[in-house]
PDB file of all heavy atoms in Angstrom:
ATOM      1  N   HIS S 163      24.101  19.035 -87.931  1.00 47.00           N
ATOM      2  CA  HIS S 163      24.373  18.848 -86.516  1.00 47.00           C
ATOM      3  C   HIS S 163      25.774  19.306 -86.149  1.00 47.00           C
ATOM      4  O   HIS S 163      25.991  19.875 -85.075  1.00 47.00           O
ATOM      5  CB  HIS S 163      24.196  17.371 -86.135  1.00 47.00           C
ATOM      6  CG  HIS S 163      23.921  17.169 -84.667  1.00 47.00           C
ATOM      7  ND1 HIS S 163      22.681  17.403 -84.109  1.00 47.00           N
ATOM      8  CD2 HIS S 163      24.725  16.779 -83.656  1.00 47.00           C
ATOM      9  CE1 HIS S 163      22.733  17.149 -82.811  1.00 47.00           C
ATOM     10  NE2 HIS S 163      23.962  16.769 -82.514  1.00 47.00           N
ATOM     11  N   GLN S 164      26.743  19.077 -87.053  1.00 48.00           N
ATOM     12  CA  GLN S 164      28.107  19.497 -86.766  1.00 48.00           C
ATOM     13  C   GLN S 164      28.205  21.006 -86.637  1.00 48.00           C
ATOM     14  O   GLN S 164      29.000  21.525 -85.874  1.00 48.00           O
ATOM     15  CB  GLN S 164      29.061  19.001 -87.858  1.00 48.00           C
ATOM     16  CG  GLN S 164      29.405  17.525 -87.700  1.00 48.00           C
ATOM     17  CD  GLN S 164      30.332  17.045 -88.773  1.00 48.00           C
ATOM     18  OE1 GLN S 164      30.230  17.452 -89.919  1.00 48.00           O
ATOM     19  NE2 GLN S 164      31.248  16.177 -88.422  1.00 48.00           N
ATOM     20  N   SER S 165      27.362  21.745 -87.397  1.00 47.00           N
ATOM     21  CA  SER S 165      27.386  23.200 -87.280  1.00 47.00           C
ATOM     22  C   SER S 165      26.878  23.636 -85.912  1.00 47.00           C
ATOM     23  O   SER S 165      27.268  24.667 -85.391  1.00 47.00           O
ATOM     24  CB  SER S 165      26.525  23.836 -88.378  1.00 47.00           C
ATOM     25  OG  SER S 165      25.158  23.613 -88.145  1.00 47.00           O
ATOM     26  N   LEU S 166      26.007  22.830 -85.320  1.00 48.00           N
ATOM     27  CA  LEU S 166      25.476  23.161 -84.005  1.00 48.00           C
ATOM     28  C   LEU S 166      26.467  22.800 -82.911  1.00 48.00           C
ATOM     29  O   LEU S 166      26.431  23.370 -81.818  1.00 48.00           O
ATOM     30  CB  LEU S 166      24.166  22.405 -83.763  1.00 48.00           C
ATOM     31  CG  LEU S 166      23.040  22.663 -84.766  1.00 48.00           C
ATOM     32  CD1 LEU S 166      21.806  21.879 -84.359  1.00 48.00           C
ATOM     33  CD2 LEU S 166      22.720  24.142 -84.854  1.00 48.00           C
ATOM     34  N   ASN S 167      27.362  21.848 -83.188  1.00 49.00           N
ATOM     35  CA  ASN S 167      28.289  21.387 -82.149  1.00 49.00           C
ATOM     36  C   ASN S 167      29.237  22.487 -81.692  1.00 49.00           C
ATOM     37  O   ASN S 167      29.863  22.382 -80.652  1.00 49.00           O
ATOM     38  CB  ASN S 167      29.113  20.199 -82.656  1.00 49.00           C
ATOM     39  CG  ASN S 167      28.298  18.931 -82.724  1.00 49.00           C
ATOM     40  OD1 ASN S 167      27.237  18.848 -82.117  1.00 49.00           O
ATOM     41  ND2 ASN S 167      28.776  17.960 -83.475  1.00 49.00           N
ATOM     42  N   ASN S 168      29.354  23.545 -82.519  1.00 44.00           N
ATOM     43  CA  ASN S 168      30.208  24.650 -82.112  1.00 44.00           C
ATOM     44  C   ASN S 168      29.548  25.490 -81.023  1.00 44.00           C
ATOM     45  O   ASN S 168      30.185  26.318 -80.394  1.00 44.00           O
ATOM     46  CB  ASN S 168      30.522  25.543 -83.317  1.00 44.00           C
ATOM     47  CG  ASN S 168      31.362  24.821 -84.341  1.00 44.00           C
ATOM     48  OD1 ASN S 168      32.487  24.445 -84.078  1.00 44.00           O
ATOM     49  ND2 ASN S 168      30.810  24.607 -85.518  1.00 44.00           N
ATOM     50  N   ASN S 169      28.238  25.288 -80.806  1.00 46.00           N
ATOM     51  CA  ASN S 169      27.501  26.124 -79.877  1.00 46.00           C
ATOM     52  C   ASN S 169      26.673  25.332 -78.876  1.00 46.00           C
ATOM     53  O   ASN S 169      26.013  25.896 -78.019  1.00 46.00           O
ATOM     54  CB  ASN S 169      26.555  27.050 -80.655  1.00 46.00           C
ATOM     55  CG  ASN S 169      27.303  27.858 -81.690  1.00 46.00           C
ATOM     56  OD1 ASN S 169      27.989  28.809 -81.373  1.00 46.00           O
ATOM     57  ND2 ASN S 169      27.206  27.457 -82.961  1.00 46.00           N
ATOM     58  N   VAL S 170      26.682  24.000 -78.990  1.00 43.00           N
ATOM     59  CA  VAL S 170      25.878  23.146 -78.130  1.00 43.00           C
ATOM     60  C   VAL S 170      26.802  22.196 -77.375  1.00 43.00           C
ATOM     61  O   VAL S 170      27.891  21.883 -77.846  1.00 43.00           O
ATOM     62  CB  VAL S 170      24.859  22.344 -78.987  1.00 43.00           C
ATOM     63  CG1 VAL S 170      24.003  21.458 -78.107  1.00 43.00           C
ATOM     64  CG2 VAL S 170      23.971  23.304 -79.773  1.00 43.00           C
ATOM     65  N   ALA S 171      26.368  21.711 -76.244  1.00 37.00           N
ATOM     66  CA  ALA S 171      27.183  20.778 -75.467  1.00 37.00           C
ATOM     67  C   ALA S 171      27.611  19.597 -76.316  1.00 37.00           C
ATOM     68  O   ALA S 171      26.839  19.060 -77.099  1.00 37.00           O
ATOM     69  CB  ALA S 171      26.395  20.280 -74.258  1.00 37.00           C
ATOM     70  N   VAL S 172      28.867  19.169 -76.157  1.00 34.00           N
ATOM     71  CA  VAL S 172      29.436  18.098 -76.990  1.00 34.00           C
ATOM     72  C   VAL S 172      28.638  16.811 -76.874  1.00 34.00           C
ATOM     73  O   VAL S 172      28.512  16.072 -77.824  1.00 34.00           O
ATOM     74  CB  VAL S 172      30.902  17.856 -76.576  1.00 34.00           C
ATOM     75  CG1 VAL S 172      31.485  16.663 -77.293  1.00 34.00           C
ATOM     76  CG2 VAL S 172      31.734  19.094 -76.883  1.00 34.00           C
TER      77      VAL S 172
END
Side-chain angles (χ1 to χ4, degrees):
H163 203 77
Q164 282 180 323
S165 71
L166 301 182
N167 286 343
N168 294 296
N169 305 284
V170 181
V172 174

